[in-house]
Amino acid sequence: MLFGPPGAGKGTQAARIVDLTSKPQISTGDMLRAALLEGSELGKEAKSYMEAGELVPDDIIIGLISQRLKVDDAKNGVLFDGFPRTIAQAEELAKIAKVDSVISIEVPDDSIVQRIVGRRMDPETGEIYHVDFKPAPESIIDRLVQRKDDNEFTVRNRLKAYHEQTSPLAIWYENQGLLIKVDGEQSIKDVGDEIISKLSAR
Ligand code: AP5
C-alpha cells in the first residue's frame, strides 16, 4: 500500500513498483476520475467532493474496492494507491484482505503545493510529469492535461482532509508493525530506490 499526503509521489512510485512486481495498481483516485468521465451515477456522486478537495464518503469507496478485488487480476495481491484514507476504510479492508506493507512517503506541506500545482498528466499513457521536477518531452507538451483539483485552493482542503482524516492511519499501521517510512523529498529515483531497498529488507 502506498500512503502519504496528496502529491507525495504515490502515483509516480506506483509505476515502478508495478513494473517490478507485476501486481495491479488500484488507485481509488483514478477509479473515481474514470467514473466521473463516464458520467456514471458513482462519478456524479463523487464529483462535488473531489472538486472541493474533500474525501468521498466511506461507503462509496468501500463498495468500489470490494468490487475491484473480485476481478481475477487481484487474486495474487495488489498495490493500493491512495486507499485506505480513513480508519473506517482500513477496518473494512482488514475484513477482506491482508495488508503486508504500508509505504509512507513523507513530504512536508510546504513542498506539496508546488508539486501539485506543477503536475501535468499525459492522457494517452497516464504518465505523470511536473513542469520543473519531471518535464515532459517537447513532442507531447500540447496534449498534457492538468487535473481539475490541482489548484492551490483545493490542495489546501486536500491537505486538511489528509491531516484530519488520513494521517491517523499512519499510527494505526505503525502499531501493527506494517509502516515503512520513506523520505519523499529526495529525487524521484532516490525515493524509488529507498522503497525497493526497504521492501527487500523486510
Ligand atoms: P487521488 O487521486 O488519490 O489524489 P491524492 O491522494 O491527492 O494524490 P495525488 O494523486 O494528488 O498525488 P500522488 O501522491 O499520487 O503524487 P504524484 O505521484 O502524482 O485522490 C483525488 C480525490 O479523490 C481526493 O481528494 C478525494 O476526493 C477522492 N479520493 C480518492 N481516494 C479516496 C479514498 N480512498 N477515500 C475517499 N476519497 C478518495 O506526484 C505529484 C507531482 O509531484 C507530480 O507532478 C510528480 O511528477 C511530482 N513528484 C513526484 N515525486 C517527486 C519527487 N520525489 N520530487 C519532485 N517531484 C516529485
Side-chain angles (χ1 to χ4, degrees):
M1 179 187 298
L2 281 162
F3 179 83
K10 301 182 293 294
T12 300
Q13 299 301 335
R16 186 163 166 194
I17 299 173
V18 165
D19 274 351
L20 270 178
T21 62
S22 301
K23 300 208 185 297
Q25 171 191 6
I26 297 186
S27 155
T28 37
D30 287 349
M31 291 166 85
L32 291 168
R33 275 185 292 280
L36 221 125
L37 264 180
E38 279 166 17
S40 66
E41 276 313 306
L42 170 74
K44 284 180 200 154
E45 243 183 293
K47 189 173 189 277
S48 60
Y49 296 102
M50 294 175 79
E51 288 183 358
E54 292 165 9
L55 292 187
V56 172
D58 287 335
D59 56 337
I60 297 182
I61 300 292
I62 289 159
L64 205 61
I65 289 291
S66 313
Q67 284 308 313
R68 180 62 184 87
L69 287 180
K70 287 181 187 151
V71 179
D72 265 1
D73 70 346
K75 296 241 155 44
N76 295 319
V78 303
L79 175 67
F80 286 117
D81 162 5
F83 170 85
R85 292 274 242 275
T86 61
I87 298 279
Q89 290 179 20
E91 283 173 344
E92 285 306 312
L93 177 64
K95 291 179 193 164
I96 53 174
K98 177 182 164 290
V99 176
D100 290 322
S101 310
V102 179
I103 301 155
S104 172
I105 306 181
E106 318 239 310
V107 179
D109 288 6
D110 290 350
S111 307
I112 293 295
V113 177
Q114 192 190 7
R115 282 198 188 183
I116 291 218
V117 171
R119 172 167 48 192
R120 300 291 182 275
M121 319 277 284
D122 179 354
E124 282 185 22
T125 62
E127 183 83 25
I128 304 166
Y129 293 99
H130 190 282
V131 290
D132 299 316
F133 306 132
K134 190 182 170 188
E138 199 67 43
S139 56
I140 65 161
I141 282 190
D142 288 346
R143 71 172 191 235
L144 297 184
V145 293
Q146 186 170 23
R147 266 169 52 177
K148 206 168 176 185
D149 60 346
D150 276 356
N151 59 73
E152 201 164 337
F153 170 76
T154 309
V155 173
R156 302 269 173 215
N157 278 348
R158 284 158 68 190
L159 276 171
K160 188 166 176 276
Y162 173 76
H163 289 299
E164 290 177 2
Q165 294 165 275
T166 306
S167 66
L169 273 176
I171 297 167
W172 202 74
Y173 281 122
E174 192 161 34
N175 288 341
Q176 296 174 41
L178 297 174
L179 199 75
I180 300 172
K181 291 184 186 171
V182 171
D183 174 7
E185 284 219 284
Q186 312 170 81
S187 70
I188 291 174
K189 180 182 179 302
D190 288 350
V191 174
D193 289 349
E194 189 178 335
I195 291 174
I196 308 292
S197 98
K198 288 191 168 166
L199 274 179
S200 315
R202 275 173 81 85

